[in-house]
Amino acid sequence: MCGIFIAIHKTDRPLEEKLPLYGRALSDLSFRGPDWKLEKIIGENIYFGQTILSLTGDVTSSKGEHLISRSKRYHIAFNGEIYNYRELYQNHLNHLSPDQERMTDTEVLINLHDRFNKEKIPQHLDGMYAYAVFDFKDNKLVISRDPQGEKTLFIFENKDFIFISSEMRPIERVFELELDSQVLRDYFCTRHFMFESRTLFRDVRQLCPGQIEELDLGDFNWKSKGRLKLSHFIDPIAYHRNQQRTLDDLTDELDILLEKSVKEMVPTGRKFASVVSGGVDSSLITAYAVKHSNPDILIAVNHLGKGQISHDLQGFEKYFDRPVNVINVDQVVYSRGLINAQEALSAPVFSHSFVGQSLQSQ
């Protein structure tokens, strides 16, 4: 997990006098990327900030060379992980370097901009991501987000500034935001905070999942470059063919695909946990994670009095051959966790389950 914070001055206000403030705003994202903090000034009016947690590839330098394309045309701020970056390297970029092991997913992503039109790149990506790419030649900024909406980008804009951030907190640090009371009222009429682009604050929007947008730094006009939706991944022919198959046949294929996905996603050389809720999906994922790797901990949340499955997970332990560490949550623990989660989000929690996820992370 990394952090992105970008500040753009639309007027002649000097960028230099704001640099200490922008540096502190970027530091608000240090917990997302504790390995390095990189800052770059582009031209006279753009601050590019990035905090980095190194997960894939081998980043041997903290100077940020891997954020710039080999052509020197593009500069990236990236949050996420591209699972198929090695395949993309082999198919499109192996002319750049004979040493594939030293290429990170970030380097693969930024150099793909020299091979494909910017709006086509997300179609090649398998992963979770949000990124911003500055084009020095065209003086434009492109931002994009994964179609499943796992990574976020918040955009604040008024007549003087544009701020782009992985979280709300850095934007709040540099500008006093105004609450959108209508969005807050709408929140209490829903079970989840289900807003694709709206946020709790005026002048702040969220980039929609799968959206690709381009900002012209000459006139500061945004232009949509397309949107990749989950429905685009459905092959109509395969869909209709699957309707004719048996349930057992479909289940076997799903089993193969799920196991393959877990094997690709488990980190190597890193400590990690696997969450067990007692549901079908988390239980299967944990079983495959234990089979193909070595999670440091299996963890579960038991909201006392809510359900019998999470109350007794011992039946699952015999299949994992590992104990499951259970966090018991009562009203007091949940209330305290709710406050902490809302402070972290600078907003109401997106879902009631967010509190449990926060407690597990802690």
Side-chain angles (χ1 to χ4, degrees):
M1 185 167 66
C2 302
I4 297 170
F5 178 71
I6 297 170
I8 301 171
H9 286 208
K10 299 168 70 173
T11 61
D12 294 331
R13 298 190 180 194
L15 188 68
E16 290 77 11
E17 66 183 28
K18 293 281 190 179
L19 290 182
L21 178 60
Y22 294 158
R24 291 193 295 272
L26 182 62
S27 294
D28 288 335
L29 300 175
S30 294
F31 73 98
R32 298 176 61 98
D35 292 340
W36 297 300
K37 183 174 77 170
L38 302 173
E39 300 171 281
K40 183 177 180 64
I41 309 303
I42 299 176
E44 298 180 350
N45 65 330
I46 303 175
Y47 169 90
F48 242 68
Q50 167 92 67
T51 61
I52 296 177
L53 170 66
S54 176
L55 279 179
T56 59
D58 177 24
V59 179
T60 57
S61 171
S62 60
K63 296 180 180 179
E65 292 94 340
H66 67 295
L67 303 179
I68 303 172
S69 66
R70 297 293 175 91
S71 68
K72 308 298 184 185
R73 176 176 175 175
Y74 301 101
H75 181 86
I76 192 171
F78 172 62
N79 171 33
E81 186 176 357
I82 307 301
Y83 305 130
N84 65 331
Y85 80 101
R86 295 184 185 277
E87 176 185 336
L88 293 171
Y89 170 87
Q90 289 285 4
N91 293 340
H92 307 292
L93 302 174
N94 59 5
H95 65 285
L96 292 179
S97 170
D99 187 2
Q100 176 188 351
E101 295 301 319
R102 296 182 65 84
M103 289 285 282
T104 68
D105 58 347
T106 307
E107 288 176 281
V108 169
L109 177 55
I110 188 59
N111 283 288
L112 284 176
H113 283 74
D114 280 318
R115 299 300 305 271
F116 300 106
N117 292 333
K118 57 183 73 73
E119 58 267 28
K120 300 295 184 182
I121 289 176
Q123 299 177 18
H124 296 273
L125 304 180
D126 176 11
M128 50 179 181
Y129 57 85
Y131 63 82
V133 171
F134 181 76
D135 183 339
F136 286 93
K137 179 181 178 181
D138 292 343
N139 195 34
K140 293 180 179 180
L141 181 74
V142 173
I143 59 175
S144 183
R145 183 181 174 201
D146 55 51
Q148 71 269 26
E150 189 162 353
K151 299 300 181 182
T152 56
L153 275 180
F154 295 98
I155 303 120
F156 167 88
E157 182 172 8
N158 65 8
K159 62 183 180 63
D160 298 314
F161 304 102
I162 297 174
F163 301 123
I164 301 171
S165 179
S166 298
E167 297 195 6
M168 287 295 307
R169 195 169 0 181
I171 299 176
E172 287 185 294
R173 178 177 290 277
V174 301
F175 197 88
E176 186 174 348
L177 299 176
E178 182 182 353
L179 189 70
D180 189 328
S181 56
Q182 183 59 55
V183 175
L184 183 59
R185 282 193 290 268
D186 292 344
Y187 169 78
F188 287 105
C189 296
T190 63
R191 186 182 181 201
H192 302 285
F193 198 15
M194 301 294 287
F195 301 108
E196 277 197 326
S197 60
R198 297 167 70 193
T199 70
L200 203 63
F201 300 99
R202 299 186 187 279
D203 299 322
V204 181
R205 64 184 176 93
Q206 184 175 205
L207 186 67
C208 291
Q211 187 75 30
I212 310 164
E213 293 190 17
E214 181 181 77
L215 174 66
D216 190 320
L217 275 304
D219 55 19
F220 300 107
N221 285 327
W222 291 95
K223 180 184 294 185
S224 174
K225 304 300 290 185
R227 185 176 182 186
L228 184 63
K229 298 182 179 181
L230 293 177
S231 58
H232 294 157
F233 294 93
I234 299 175
D235 181 345
I237 296 176
Y239 174 78
H240 291 294
R241 184 172 63 245
N242 286 340
Q243 289 183 312
Q244 309 303 318
R245 297 168 60 189
T246 66
L247 181 59
D248 286 343
D249 191 22
L250 291 169
T251 301
D252 288 342
E253 182 179 2
L254 177 60
D255 188 38
I256 293 170
L257 291 173
L258 182 59
E259 184 169 9
K260 177 177 181 291
S261 297
V262 173
K263 288 173 65 176
E264 291 177 349
M265 292 177 66
V266 292
T268 56
R270 303 276 181 174
K271 290 185 176 182
F272 74 100
S274 186
V275 175
V276 183
S277 70
V280 174
D281 48 0
S282 73
S283 304
L284 285 173
I285 289 171
T286 299
Y288 289 133
V290 170
K291 178 180 176 181
H292 296 289
S293 60
N294 185 31
D296 289 82
I297 186 174
L298 306 184
I299 194 167
V301 167
N302 174 32
H303 292 90
L304 297 175
K306 181 182 178 182
Q308 292 302 311
I309 294 179
S310 58
H311 179 68
D312 183 10
L313 294 173
Q314 290 184 342
F316 292 89
E317 293 180 338
K318 65 181 180 181
Y319 294 101
F320 305 144
D321 195 28
R322 296 274 300 274
V324 177
N325 296 266
V326 179
I327 303 172
N328 290 314
V329 179
D330 58 15
Q331 291 183 353
V332 174
V333 174
Y334 187 90
S335 298
R336 188 163 54 242
L338 179 62
I339 294 172
N340 292 336
Q342 290 180 153
E343 289 178 345
L345 290 169
S346 299
V349 293
F350 304 140
S351 168
H352 61 275
S353 62
F354 194 96
V355 175
Q357 295 165 7
S358 175
L359 293 171
Q360 289 172 357
S361 298
Q362 294 174 25

